[in-house]
Structure formats: C-alpha cells, structure tokens
Coordinates of all heavy atoms in Angstrom, one line a residue:
T1 N -33.2 7.8 -13.9 CA -33.7 9.1 -13.5 C -32.9 9.5 -12.2 O -33.0 8.8 -11.2 CB -35.2 9.0 -13.2 OG1 -35.9 8.6 -14.4 CG2 -35.7 10.4 -12.7
L2 N -32.2 10.6 -12.3 CA -31.3 11.0 -11.3 C -32.1 11.6 -10.1 O -33.2 12.2 -10.3 CB -30.3 12.0 -11.8 CG -29.5 11.6 -13.0 CD1 -28.5 12.7 -13.5 CD2 -28.7 10.3 -12.7
K3 N -31.5 11.6 -8.9 CA -32.1 12.3 -7.8 C -32.1 13.8 -7.9 O -33.0 14.4 -7.3 CB -31.4 11.8 -6.5 CG -31.6 10.4 -6.2 CD -30.9 10.0 -4.9 CE -31.1 8.5 -4.5 NZ -30.4 8.1 -3.3
E4 N -31.1 14.3 -8.5 CA -31.0 15.8 -8.8 C -30.5 16.0 -10.2 O -29.8 15.2 -10.7 CB -30.0 16.4 -7.8 CG -30.5 16.3 -6.3 CD -29.5 17.0 -5.4 OE1 -28.4 17.5 -5.9 OE2 -29.7 17.0 -4.2
A5 N -30.9 17.1 -10.8 CA -30.4 17.4 -12.1 C -28.9 17.6 -12.1 O -28.4 18.1 -11.1 CB -31.1 18.7 -12.6
L6 N -28.3 17.2 -13.2 CA -26.9 17.4 -13.3 C -26.5 18.9 -13.2 O -27.1 19.7 -13.8 CB -26.4 16.9 -14.6 CG -26.5 15.4 -14.9 CD1 -26.3 15.0 -16.3 CD2 -25.4 14.6 -14.0
R7 N -25.5 19.1 -12.3 CA -25.1 20.5 -12.1 C -24.5 21.1 -13.4 O -24.0 20.3 -14.2 CB -24.2 20.6 -10.9 CG -22.8 20.0 -11.2 CD -21.8 20.3 -10.0 NE -20.5 19.8 -10.3 CZ -20.0 18.6 -10.1 NH1 -20.8 17.7 -9.4 NH2 -18.8 18.3 -10.4
A8 N -24.5 22.4 -13.5 CA -23.8 23.0 -14.6 C -22.3 22.7 -14.6 O -21.7 22.7 -13.6 CB -24.0 24.6 -14.5
G9 N -21.8 22.2 -15.7 CA -20.4 21.9 -15.8 C -20.1 20.5 -15.5 O -18.9 20.0 -15.6
Y10 N -21.1 19.7 -15.1 CA -20.8 18.3 -14.8 C -20.3 17.6 -16.1 O -20.9 17.7 -17.1 CB -22.1 17.5 -14.3 CG -21.8 16.2 -13.8 CD1 -21.4 15.9 -12.5 CD2 -21.9 15.1 -14.7 CE1 -21.2 14.6 -12.0 CE2 -21.6 13.8 -14.2 CZ -21.2 13.6 -12.9 OH -20.9 12.3 -12.5
P11 N -19.1 16.9 -16.0 CA -18.4 16.6 -17.2 C -18.9 15.3 -17.8 O -18.1 14.3 -18.0 CB -17.0 16.4 -16.7 CG -17.1 15.9 -15.3 CD -18.4 16.6 -14.7
I12 N -20.1 15.2 -18.2 CA -20.7 14.0 -18.8 C -20.9 14.3 -20.3 O -21.3 15.4 -20.7 CB -22.0 13.5 -18.1 CG1 -22.4 12.2 -18.6 CG2 -23.1 14.6 -18.3 CD1 -23.6 11.6 -17.9
A13 N -20.7 13.2 -21.1 CA -21.0 13.4 -22.6 C -21.4 12.0 -23.1 O -21.1 11.0 -22.6 CB -19.7 13.8 -23.3
V14 N -22.2 12.1 -24.2 CA -22.6 10.9 -24.9 C -21.3 10.1 -25.3 O -20.4 10.7 -25.8 CB -23.4 11.2 -26.1 CG1 -23.7 10.0 -27.0 CG2 -24.8 11.8 -25.7
G15 N -21.4 8.8 -25.1 CA -20.2 8.0 -25.3 C -19.3 7.7 -24.1 O -18.5 6.8 -24.2
D16 N -19.6 8.4 -23.0 CA -18.8 8.1 -21.8 C -19.1 6.7 -21.3 O -20.2 6.3 -21.2 CB -19.1 9.1 -20.7 CG -18.4 10.4 -20.9 OD1 -17.6 10.5 -21.8 OD2 -18.8 11.4 -20.2
P17 N -18.1 5.9 -20.9 CA -18.3 4.6 -20.3 C -18.9 4.9 -18.9 O -18.5 5.8 -18.2 CB -16.9 4.0 -20.2 CG -16.0 4.8 -21.1 CD -16.6 6.2 -21.1
V18 N -19.8 4.0 -18.5 CA -20.3 4.0 -17.1 C -20.3 2.5 -16.6 O -20.4 1.6 -17.4 CB -21.7 4.6 -17.0 CG1 -21.7 6.0 -17.3 CG2 -22.7 3.8 -17.9
A19 N -20.3 2.4 -15.3 CA -20.4 1.1 -14.6 C -21.2 1.2 -13.4 O -21.4 2.3 -12.9 CB -19.0 0.6 -14.3
W20 N -21.7 0.1 -12.9 CA -22.4 0.0 -11.6 C -22.2 -1.3 -11.0 O -22.0 -2.3 -11.7 CB -23.9 0.3 -11.9 CG -24.5 -0.6 -12.9 CD1 -25.2 -1.8 -12.7 CD2 -24.6 -0.3 -14.3 NE1 -25.6 -2.3 -13.9 CE2 -25.2 -1.4 -14.9 CE3 -24.1 0.7 -15.1 CZ2 -25.5 -1.5 -16.3 CZ3 -24.3 0.7 -16.5 CH2 -25.0 -0.4 -17.1
R21 N -22.2 -1.3 -9.7 CA -21.9 -2.5 -9.0 C -23.2 -3.3 -8.7 O -24.3 -2.8 -8.7 CB -21.2 -2.3 -7.7 CG -22.0 -1.7 -6.6 CD -21.1 -1.4 -5.4 NE -21.8 -1.0 -4.2 CZ -21.1 -0.7 -3.0 NH1 -19.8 -0.6 -3.0 NH2 -21.8 -0.4 -1.9
G22 N -23.0 -4.6 -8.5 CA -24.1 -5.5 -8.1 C -24.2 -5.6 -6.6 O -23.5 -5.0 -5.9
N23 N -25.1 -6.5 -6.2 CA -25.3 -6.7 -4.8 C -24.0 -7.4 -4.3 O -23.3 -8.1 -5.0 CB -26.5 -7.6 -4.5 CG -27.8 -6.9 -4.9 OD1 -27.8 -5.7 -4.9 ND2 -28.8 -7.7 -5.1
I24 N -23.7 -7.2 -3.0 CA -22.4 -7.5 -2.4 C -22.4 -8.8 -1.7 O -23.2 -9.1 -0.9 CB -21.9 -6.4 -1.5 CG1 -21.7 -5.1 -2.4 CG2 -20.7 -6.8 -0.7 CD1 -21.3 -3.9 -1.5
A25 N -21.3 -9.6 -2.0 CA -21.0 -10.8 -1.2 C -19.5 -10.9 -1.1 O -18.8 -10.8 -2.1 CB -21.6 -12.1 -1.8
P26 N -18.9 -11.0 0.1 CA -17.4 -11.1 0.1 C -16.9 -12.3 -0.6 O -17.4 -13.4 -0.5 CB -17.1 -11.1 1.6 CG -18.4 -11.7 2.3 CD -19.5 -11.2 1.4
D27 N -15.8 -12.1 -1.3 CA -15.2 -13.3 -2.0 C -14.4 -14.2 -1.0 O -14.5 -15.4 -1.1 CB -14.2 -12.8 -3.1 CG -15.0 -12.8 -4.4 OD1 -15.6 -13.8 -4.8 OD2 -14.9 -11.8 -5.2
L28 N -13.7 -13.6 -0.1 CA -13.0 -14.4 0.9 C -13.4 -13.8 2.3 O -13.0 -12.7 2.6 CB -11.5 -14.4 0.8 CG -10.7 -15.1 1.9 CD1 -11.1 -16.5 2.1 CD2 -9.2 -15.0 1.6
F29 N -14.1 -14.6 3.1 CA -14.7 -14.1 4.3 C -14.0 -14.9 5.5 O -14.1 -16.1 5.5 CB -16.2 -14.2 4.4 CG -16.8 -13.6 5.6 CD1 -16.4 -12.4 6.1 CD2 -17.8 -14.3 6.3 CE1 -17.0 -11.8 7.2 CE2 -18.5 -13.8 7.4 CZ -18.0 -12.5 7.9
L30 N -13.3 -14.2 6.4 CA -12.7 -14.8 7.5 C -13.4 -14.3 8.8 O -13.3 -13.1 9.1 CB -11.2 -14.3 7.6 CG -10.4 -14.5 6.3 CD1 -9.0 -14.0 6.5 CD2 -10.4 -16.0 5.8
Q31 N -14.0 -15.3 9.5 CA -14.8 -14.9 10.6 C -14.3 -15.6 11.9 O -14.2 -16.8 11.9 CB -16.3 -15.3 10.4 CG -17.2 -15.0 11.6 CD -18.6 -15.1 11.3 OE1 -19.3 -14.2 11.0 NE2 -19.2 -16.3 11.5
N32 N -13.9 -14.8 12.9 CA -13.5 -15.3 14.2 C -12.2 -16.2 14.0 O -12.1 -17.2 14.6 CB -14.6 -16.1 14.8 CG -14.4 -16.3 16.3 OD1 -13.9 -15.3 17.0 ND2 -14.7 -17.4 16.9
D33 N -11.3 -15.7 13.2 CA -10.1 -16.4 12.9 C -8.9 -15.8 13.6 O -9.0 -14.7 14.1 CB -9.8 -16.5 11.4 CG -10.9 -17.2 10.7 OD1 -11.5 -18.2 11.2 OD2 -11.2 -16.9 9.5
R34 N -7.7 -16.4 13.5 CA -6.5 -15.9 14.0 C -5.3 -16.4 13.2 O -5.3 -17.5 12.7 CB -6.3 -16.2 15.5 CG -6.2 -17.7 15.8 CD -6.1 -17.9 17.3 NE -4.8 -17.4 17.8 CZ -4.5 -17.3 19.1 NH1 -5.4 -17.7 20.0 NH2 -3.4 -16.8 19.5
K35 N -4.3 -15.6 13.1 CA -3.0 -15.9 12.5 C -3.2 -16.6 11.1 O -2.5 -17.5 10.7 CB -2.2 -16.8 13.4 CG -1.8 -16.2 14.7 CD -0.9 -17.1 15.5 CE -0.5 -16.4 16.8 NZ 0.3 -17.2 17.7
M36 N -4.2 -16.0 10.3 CA -4.3 -16.4 9.0 C -3.3 -15.7 8.1 O -2.8 -14.7 8.4 CB -5.7 -16.1 8.5 CG -6.9 -16.7 9.3 SD -7.0 -18.5 9.2 CE -7.9 -18.6 7.6
R37 N -3.0 -16.4 7.0 CA -1.9 -15.8 6.1 C -2.4 -16.0 4.6 O -2.7 -17.1 4.2 CB -0.6 -16.4 6.3 CG 0.6 -15.7 5.7 CD 1.9 -16.3 6.1 NE 3.0 -15.5 5.6 CZ 3.6 -14.5 6.2 NH1 3.2 -14.2 7.4 NH2 4.6 -13.8 5.6
L38 N -2.4 -14.9 3.9 CA -2.8 -14.9 2.5 C -1.6 -14.4 1.7 O -1.1 -13.2 1.9 CB -4.0 -13.9 2.3 CG -4.6 -13.9 0.9 CD1 -5.2 -15.2 0.5 CD2 -5.7 -12.8 0.9
E39 N -1.1 -15.2 0.8 CA 0.2 -14.9 0.1 C -0.1 -15.1 -1.4 O -0.3 -16.2 -1.9 CB 1.3 -15.8 0.5 CG 1.9 -15.5 1.9 CD 3.0 -14.5 1.8 OE1 3.2 -13.9 0.7 OE2 3.7 -14.4 2.8
G40 N 0.0 -14.0 -2.2 CA 0.1 -14.1 -3.6 C -1.2 -14.5 -4.4 O -1.2 -14.9 -5.5

C-alpha cells in the first residue's frame, strides 16, 4: 500500500520487475584504520 496514489503517467505496468533491499550491514567495515589497501 503506497503512501500516495501513483501520479498520472507513472510508468508502471503489470509484468515490470521490482526489487527491494533488506536491512543493512557493511560487507567490509574498516574502523579507525590507516593506510589500508584493497586491490582487485
């Protein structure tokens, strides 16, 4: 249920792919570091 009705002309159609993200956790977290190097 949307917060507002889709505006006129909003380009949505049945069959359109949609995605949504999950809750967030960093994959690589660098805290209080120095001269780190990430290659490739």
